[in-house]
Amino acid sequence: MSNVIKNPRNGCALHGALQTVQEIDGAVPVVHANAGCGVINYLANKTVGNGVSRYSGFATPGTAVQERHVIFGGASRLREQIKNTIKVVNGDLYVILNSCESAMVGDDVDAMTREIVEQGAPVVDTLIAGFNGGSHFGYEHVIYDILKSIDGVKKNEQNTDEKLINIFGIVPDKDPYWQGNLEEIRRIFEGVGLKANLIFGVYGGVEDLVNAKNAVASVVFSRWGELPAKLLKERFDVPYISFSSLPSFVSDERELIEKVSEYTKIDSDAKENFLEREERYEKNYLSRIRDDIIEYDLGKRTLIVGDEEQVIRYGKFFRQVFGARIVGAVLTDALKKDEEHKTDNSEILEAIAEKIYITSDEKDIEDIIKRSGAEVVIGSSLEKKITESNNVSLLEFSYPIYHRAILNQTTVGVRGAVEFVSDYITTVKQAEKEKSEVLHEYLKQLKNQNIWQGHSSKKGQVKQINLVSELVSRESI
């Protein structure tokens, strides 16, 4: 018997591939699917605070296949759509995205792609259908498929750039802070004289995909960047370095730079000068919150809901900075059976959290939060209702986030750490203020009643203390 998943937060592989291609400057997605596939992806994400890309929603080129195409095949419709898209939409690269319908019918998407390429158009395809996996799977495989084919449509001799580093594993849209995080990684590399090949965002684009084989190394920040990094290693001998999470502290930045320096030369003076500035920045701001940590008891029982990379990064941060007890971690992206990746972070996760759960089912997550006894949840907007009803503070840092605009803010590096701390302390202080206001209002109501006079006696004072204690207890449940 199949299980029903309540309000899952991640779409299918097609949605992940579409979200990925949409965020590559110069790339044009062509969706070979029914009209609903692209629109559903748009509707699911339009309320998330990252804004929308150029080719999204109703502006996404697509075949809009219908019943007759499912019955008789949609190859001719795909041929027509590719040609029309190239005529009316300027792009450096056109990426055909497969779907469940075309995969089940057996449309020869590869043949259509080869036909258009022979006519001189820069077209690649990915054969991932929606049922192959989730959004993270779609991200990884579409990048893999593009890198596998791009040499055939964008001729470029391999010429290694000793300062160029590929960046993989930051999934567009699935990490709400993906744009700012990419920019922060770029800033860290530039600080020591390196260049980050980002692919996405304001500093990325199709040219980065073409030049990926010219990088001196690739850095993978989560399991979801492993496949494209392996491809570049196998085909072009570009080595790769894997990290369990993005950096948060100066010590993390140092580890990143030193591992990269094994493959390229970094000026030692420039490195130490940069890291010294980063350390001064970190010490200045984190030392300023020492009184708040004690006064507001910030080392609270914490539960984290999000992607594996986020769980590791936020968990380590909360333990080291606030001395928090991580009572549980809910991985919403990890696969229960993962045969594609060598990455195994189970030991790291077990060292951070007392209990590890793998689910994206909202009902499961609600039950976990109730049982955990957590005082703080680091999660998404989907946890807002359950945390409010249980009087638990919520930090919205994982996907999806509905009620905040997130453009270039970051949670990575020392600057991201400061922003993360600021949001957490603000959330705690607001919760304390609201609790105080409720208590104040309650006492005002008592004062306006005749029974208030009775509280001036010794017996009344005892009753008052009991009432206030009871109220505080109710507020803290």
Side-chain angles (χ1 to χ4, degrees), residues 330-394:
V330 183
L331 311 181
T332 57
D333 67 320
L335 306 175
K336 293 185 178 180
K337 186 178 181 181
D338 187 357
E339 297 175 349
E340 283 194 321
H341 304 99
K342 290 182 179 178
T343 302
D344 182 3
N345 292 320
S346 56
E347 288 187 12
I348 297 173
L349 289 164
E350 288 168 4
I352 291 172
E354 295 175 12
K355 293 183 179 179
I356 310 295
Y357 307 90
I358 300 177
T359 181
S360 62
D361 188 319
E362 185 178 337
K363 180 65 170 62
D364 288 347
I365 294 171
E366 288 179 354
D367 291 341
I368 291 166
I369 292 172
K370 287 179 183 177
R371 296 194 309 266
S372 69
E375 300 168 277
V376 175
V377 170
I378 304 173
S380 71
S381 296
L382 296 179
E383 284 71 63
K384 192 171 183 65
K385 185 177 179 181
I386 185 66
T387 52
E388 285 180 349
S389 64
N390 285 269
N391 198 30
V392 174
S393 296
L394 173 65

Side-chain angles (χ1 to χ4, degrees), residues 370-426:
K370 287 179 183 177
R371 296 194 309 266
S372 69
E375 300 168 277
V376 175
V377 170
I378 304 173
S380 71
S381 296
L382 296 179
E383 284 71 63
K384 192 171 183 65
K385 185 177 179 181
I386 185 66
T387 52
E388 285 180 349
S389 64
N390 285 269
N391 198 30
V392 174
S393 296
L394 173 65
L395 289 173
E396 296 182 36
F397 277 93
S398 63
Y399 178 89
I401 298 175
Y402 294 130
H403 310 295
R404 294 171 59 191
I406 301 170
L407 295 177
N408 68 341
Q409 296 95 318
T410 181
T411 57
V412 165
V414 295
R415 281 161 174 73
V418 170
E419 184 162 334
F420 188 64
V421 166
S422 299
D423 282 358
Y424 176 43
I425 295 177
T426 299

Side-chain angles (χ1 to χ4, degrees), residues 96-131:
I96 303 171
L97 305 176
N98 207 19
S99 68
C100 298
E101 296 97 331
S102 56
M104 290 188 291
V105 171
D107 286 342
D108 195 344
V109 177
D110 272 344
M112 292 299 100
T113 303
R114 287 194 301 272
E115 180 182 312
I116 303 298
V117 169
E118 286 170 2
Q119 296 172 20
V123 180
V124 297
D125 64 64
T126 180
L127 300 181
I128 321 163
F131 52 66

